[in-house]
Amino acid sequence: MSRVESDQRIVGGRTSAAGPTPTDALPEVLPHRRLIFAIVSIALFMSSIDQTIVATALPAIEHDFSAHINWSGWTITIYALGQVMAMPLAGKISDQFGRKKVFLIAAVVFIAASLSCGFATNIQTLVVLRAVQAIGGGAFMPSATGIVSDHFGKDRDRALGMFSSIFPIGGIVGPIIGGAFVAAWSWRGIFLVNVPIGIVLIVLATIFIPRGVTRRTARTDLRGVLLLGLLILSAMFGITYLGSASVSLDSPVFLGSEAVALVAAWLFVRHSRTYPAPFIPFQLLRGRGFGTMNLINLLYGAAALGFGALVPLYAENRFGITALAAGTLLTARAVGMICVAALAVAALRRTGYQLPMIVGFVVVAGGLALMSTTPRGLTPYLWLAVAAAITGVGMGMSTPASNNASMQLAPDQVAAIAGLRGMFRQSGAIMAVSVTTTIVARSADPGIAQAHIFAAFAGLLILAIPLVFLVPDHRGSW
């Protein structure tokens, strides 16, 4: 059999004028494709769980370290920030040096940081280690996507599509696991549980994931990444510092931090306009289409995503609900989202983008408003569970539409747009958590203060609705 005939047999008769594909070069891995998918899925699952698992442990961490909630909240926000920074860099590096190598390095970093988090002795150390953990967790997605893309041939779209089901499942399982560890043992278990799973993951990946290929790519825009990181980090630090009761608005530390953030924002925009291959293309930051969607994603991230990390804290602070039960409230939200998301995706071609976004925002706002009020006729737990499920239904309606709304503006830059969307949403969530924990730390009644914040989030989503009418609405054209 000739080489061409062999290649055709391997990939279902498809050949490429540019030469063999990664799958052609590695025919022996095809029987192991399901195992490869399972291995990378374990990594993504661990990363997604760690986005929510800490939420139920915040009161326990705060108590053990005698830390204010505004500083212990950094264990959530720094993880989101680390992932925002790590994802684009890991994508570039995995193209240059190989997906398997980056995947294994990410696993080692994630597991080592998880082990260290489990033995942290103060809140400052834990926050730094969470940042390191986020670098490993953030690098999983681009390297895993590349591995699947390289080795699944014509089935890569289906395999990559299945990734979208992993993160909602992580959102369901994470809070429950976190609550269980806090109730039965210690918050340290939420980090230490990653270690044995991670060791098995590294062994399996070393044995069964092939080396793959490397590609020449444009130079990584490290300056752009660092400027964006400085912008978010300095703004977040200033807001958190304000959370101490003795700190006033004219504090030099607070004003200095926000001044650094403004300068970093100006330098970042200028850099994006002039650099040949910027971290974020400048044309994706402005205009009626992209500018509007970026603002919507920022507000959506603050109101819909940011509040999720705060629900268990609210349940424990205001109603005295146990950590385990508080964690299951996020499960109710995830279930509500999963129940309607598939239907919303199927209906998009008929509904367009605007209608599901508007209806979804209204439903999420309704759930937030319900959560902020005093329970009527139900136990506090059932009241919060119903409210959380309603917000999940609203997110299931609006998320698919908002995910796709800006894609048709530049179909040739889908990857960049997806990264930009995630960055604005995560940035909104980071700001929401930072501001909320700061207000809660200065409040005499944290539960009531958080209730008012949830009501403000609901108002924020309602105020975002007029922006939706500026989004180009395409029906039946994609």
Side-chain angles (χ1 to χ4, degrees), residues 62-134:
E62 182 184 0
H63 177 267
D64 278 10
F65 289 148
S66 300
H68 291 292
I69 186 60
N70 53 322
W71 293 112
S72 57
W74 271 61
T75 56
I76 295 175
T77 54
I78 201 69
Y79 190 83
L81 175 60
Q83 288 198 316
V84 168
M85 300 294 102
M87 283 185 184
L89 287 177
K92 287 274 189 181
I93 294 172
S94 64
D95 282 341
Q96 292 174 326
F97 300 104
R99 286 59 152 102
K100 178 179 180 178
K101 186 179 295 184
V102 173
F103 183 85
L104 287 173
I105 292 173
V108 171
V109 170
F110 185 85
I111 301 312
S114 296
L115 178 63
S116 301
C117 284
F119 291 100
T121 56
N122 55 63
I123 191 64
Q124 294 82 6
T125 302
L126 181 60
V127 168
V128 171
L129 292 171
R130 278 284 282 174
V132 177
Q133 186 190 38

Side-chain angles (χ1 to χ4, degrees), residues 74-329:
W74 271 61
T75 56
I76 295 175
T77 54
I78 201 69
Y79 190 83
L81 175 60
Q83 288 198 316
V84 168
M85 300 294 102
M87 283 185 184
L89 287 177
K92 287 274 189 181
I93 294 172
S94 64
D95 282 341
Q96 292 174 326
F97 300 104
R99 286 59 152 102
K100 178 179 180 178
K101 186 179 295 184
V102 173
F103 183 85
L104 287 173
I105 292 173
V108 171
V109 170
F110 185 85
I111 301 312
S114 296
L115 178 63
S116 301
C117 284
F119 291 100
T121 56
N122 55 63
I123 191 64
Q124 294 82 6
T125 302
L126 181 60
V127 168
V128 171
L129 292 171
R130 278 284 282 174
V132 177
Q133 186 190 38
I135 293 172
F140 277 140
M141 174 56 88
S143 57
T145 301
I147 289 169
V148 169
S149 181
D150 284 349
H151 298 97
F152 273 70
K154 63 181 180 180
D155 295 323
R156 70 186 64 179
D157 56 339
R158 295 172 59 190
L160 293 176
M162 290 177 67
F163 278 173
S164 61
S165 65
I166 294 173
F167 291 94
I169 296 173
I172 293 174
V173 175
I176 297 176
I177 294 176
F181 271 111
V182 171
W185 179 34
S186 165
W187 61 265
R188 298 181 185 276
I190 66 178
F191 299 112
L192 297 178
V193 70
N194 289 328
V195 178
I197 300 173
I199 291 173
V200 173
L201 174 71
I202 291 171
V203 172
L204 292 176
T206 302
I207 296 173
F208 293 106
I209 296 181
R211 287 183 57 187
V213 296
T214 58
R215 298 168 176 81
R216 296 185 62 182
T217 61
R219 233 170 67 185
T220 303
D221 181 19
L222 286 175
R223 185 180 179 187
V225 174
L226 291 175
L227 284 173
L228 180 62
L230 179 62
L231 161 62
I232 299 176
L233 193 62
S234 55
M236 200 170 76
F237 177 81
I239 293 170
T240 305
Y241 187 79
L242 196 63
S244 301
S246 59
V247 176
S248 61
L249 286 172
D250 60 354
S251 164
V253 175
F254 168 70
L255 295 177
S257 298
E258 301 312 310
V260 169
L262 289 174
V263 172
W266 178 75
L267 290 173
F268 177 75
V269 172
R270 190 182 72 165
H271 173 77
S272 297
R273 294 182 66 177
T274 58
Y275 192 73
F279 168 54
I280 298 176
F282 183 67
Q283 65 269 25
L284 301 185
L285 294 174
R286 61 175 184 171
R288 174 174 173 175
F290 288 119
T292 300
M293 279 309 306
N294 292 338
L295 180 56
I296 289 174
N297 282 324
L298 183 72
L299 297 175
Y300 184 78
L305 303 183
F307 101 93
L310 301 165
V311 169
L313 178 68
Y314 175 64
E316 294 177 53
N317 278 343
R318 186 176 183 189
F319 300 107
I321 295 174
T322 65
L324 179 57
T328 60
L329 295 174

Side-chain angles (χ1 to χ4, degrees), residues 361-407:
F361 286 2
V362 170
V363 174
V364 173
L368 285 168
L370 196 66
M371 188 170 288
S372 69
T373 59
T374 303
R376 294 179 178 86
L378 296 173
T379 65
Y381 175 81
L382 285 177
W383 182 269
L384 294 179
V386 170
I390 290 173
T391 62
V393 170
M395 291 176 68
M397 291 179 183
S398 57
T399 299
S402 59
N403 281 352
N404 288 278
S406 54
M407 294 296 186

Side-chain angles (χ1 to χ4, degrees), residues 419-455:
L420 190 68
R421 180 184 68 225
M423 186 198 76
F424 273 99
R425 287 183 182 173
Q426 289 285 6
S427 298
I430 289 168
M431 289 189 289
V433 174
S434 296
V435 171
T436 300
T437 52
T438 296
I439 293 173
V440 168
R442 297 177 69 98
S443 172
D445 191 332
I448 296 298
Q450 205 169 337
H452 293 158
I453 292 169
F454 284 169

